[in-house]
Amino acid sequence: MIQIITRYGNLLLLAMGQTLLLALCGLFFACILGMFFGLLSVLKNKACRIISSIFVDVIRGVPMIVLAYFIYFGVPYCLNNMMGFNFTLTALQAGTVCLALNCGAYMAEIIRAGILSVDSGQMEAARSLGLPYSRAMIRVVLPQAIRTMIPSIINQFIITLKDTSILSVIGVAEMMRQSQQLIANNFRAFETYAIVAVWYYVLVIILTKLFKLLERRLAN
């Protein structure tokens, strides 16, 4: 095992960096999607709520591995062969989109629940003071809702980080994909997978501790 770390440690560190980059990019775009569809889900407009519900139900109802294959192979095929476009996606781009969509659906529910957890009187009081709905939501409701969302957002980031391993099926060079390539060279599957499992564990523990520290500071 030590021999594998000594020989291939740099490759695994690069793969860990790719894993973190994927998770961070996926979470960033997921927050944008989640905020958009989460806000749609709490509007009084029924059409907006239906659109949000369709997005959340469809994405959460499709296994992530199927979503990854569809984005990487299906979307370019459809655009190129059916619509005449010259469109391609790299594995990293497709992986980022897949993570953003998958995580975004769950973020939408987290944001919806966070907004609904704020007493409705807060919005009514803001509106009675003359604030329009959008400004009341941004300045009054969302700041209070975000505090309740933080633990769920942290948990979702950890889940997204671990979900990056699924993207090895489309060739994204994250830790799982790199370990498969190393096993093809050294034929030591148990030791290699054990190292990767420990690295994932350590990474998750470190990030969890950092996020809990951030959560405590924001709560003060």
Side-chain angles (χ1 to χ4, degrees):
M1 188 175 290
I2 295 176
Q3 183 182 3
I4 294 174
I5 295 175
T6 304
R7 186 172 180 181
Y8 301 110
N10 290 336
L11 293 175
L12 290 173
L13 282 175
L14 288 174
M16 180 184 288
Q18 188 84 309
T19 297
L20 281 171
L21 176 64
L22 265 173
L24 288 171
C25 289
L27 185 67
F28 173 76
F29 291 112
C31 286
I32 296 174
L33 285 172
M35 184 64 70
F36 177 73
F37 286 103
L39 289 172
L40 284 185
S41 68
V42 298
L43 293 178
K44 293 182 179 180
N45 189 301
K46 186 175 181 180
C48 292
R49 296 199 304 271
I50 290 174
I51 291 171
S52 176
S53 179
I54 290 173
F55 170 77
V56 171
D57 290 344
V58 169
I59 297 299
R60 292 202 305 179
V62 176
M64 189 172 164
I65 190 170
V66 176
L67 186 62
Y69 277 127
F70 176 76
I71 293 170
Y72 188 53
F73 297 109
V75 172
Y77 175 84
C78 179
L79 293 176
N80 293 337
N81 294 282
M82 297 181 181
M83 299 184 181
F85 295 164
N86 185 19
F87 180 77
T88 58
L89 277 173
T90 65
L92 181 60
Q93 291 170 340
T96 302
V97 172
C98 179
L99 284 176
L101 288 173
N102 185 74
C103 181
Y106 292 94
M107 288 293 294
E109 286 296 281
I110 291 170
I111 291 168
R112 182 187 67 82
I115 292 173
L116 293 178
S117 70
V118 178
D119 191 281
S120 59
Q122 298 288 323
M123 175 61 79
E124 294 171 2
R127 295 301 302 275
S128 67
L129 293 174
L131 287 177
Y133 181 87
S134 58
R135 186 171 294 182
M137 179 63 72
I138 293 171
R139 292 191 175 184
V140 179
V141 177
L142 281 178
Q144 298 178 67
I146 286 173
R147 290 197 173 192
T148 64
M149 296 178 200
I150 289 175
S152 298
I153 293 174
I154 292 171
N155 184 59
Q156 188 58 49
F157 176 74
I158 298 300
I159 292 171
T160 301
L161 177 68
K162 293 188 289 186
D163 281 348
T164 58
S165 60
I166 297 175
L167 301 177
S168 62
V169 299
I170 60 172
V172 178
E174 44 70 62
M175 284 199 288
M176 188 64 183
R177 179 69 174 181
Q178 190 63 62
S179 66
Q180 292 170 344
Q181 293 176 341
L182 295 183
I183 291 168
N185 292 328
N186 60 31
F187 302 103
R188 297 170 67 178
F190 176 80
E191 294 96 325
T192 304
Y193 283 136
I195 291 169
V196 171
V198 170
W199 283 27
Y200 267 116
Y201 175 77
V202 171
L203 189 58
V204 168
I205 291 298
I206 292 172
L207 290 173
T208 301
K209 297 295 183 184
L210 290 174
F211 284 137
K212 284 185 177 179
L213 178 62
L214 175 63
E215 182 183 352
R216 286 197 296 269
R217 290 195 174 187
L218 291 175
N220 294 331

